[in-house]
Amino acid sequence: MTGTDRSPHPAIGDTVRDPRYNRIGIVTDRLGPYLQLRPLTGGREWDADPDHVEPATPPEVLRARLAEVNARSLRRPPNS
């Protein structure tokens, strides 16, 4: 590849940021022209355009994990 080529699309297992939804996800599959992304702590996958996702930075990954864990803890029923 030359310096003017676009970098390759993310691979399965890569952690990326989807600017369309401003979400961080792990690439789990490719379906047609789209990537399938799953939230870092699990959950429902969504489609993302591979030409628009960006590698997630470590601070972005940490913020996303904390936000998902906090949201899940608020939905948890109280212990009996």
Side-chain angles (χ1 to χ4, degrees):
M1 291 177 98
T2 68
T4 59
D5 289 337
R6 288 185 57 98
S7 55
H9 289 157
I12 293 175
D14 286 352
T15 304
V16 297
R17 184 172 66 82
D18 180 359
R20 181 177 69 164
Y21 293 111
N22 197 28
R23 293 179 71 188
I24 305 294
I26 298 171
V27 179
T28 60
D29 202 357
R30 292 179 183 272
L31 292 176
Y34 298 103
L35 297 174
Q36 287 280 286
L37 303 182
R38 179 171 303 228
L40 298 176
T41 57
R44 189 172 181 185
E45 293 179 335
W46 75 95
D47 292 336
D49 183 337
D51 291 327
H52 293 104
V53 298
E54 304 165 349
T57 65
E60 287 176 321
V61 172
L62 179 59
R63 278 192 300 271
R65 285 188 189 277
L66 287 173
E68 289 180 18
V69 168
N70 286 337
R72 191 179 328 126
S73 71
L74 294 174
R75 291 189 300 264
R76 183 178 304 152
N79 291 336
S80 304

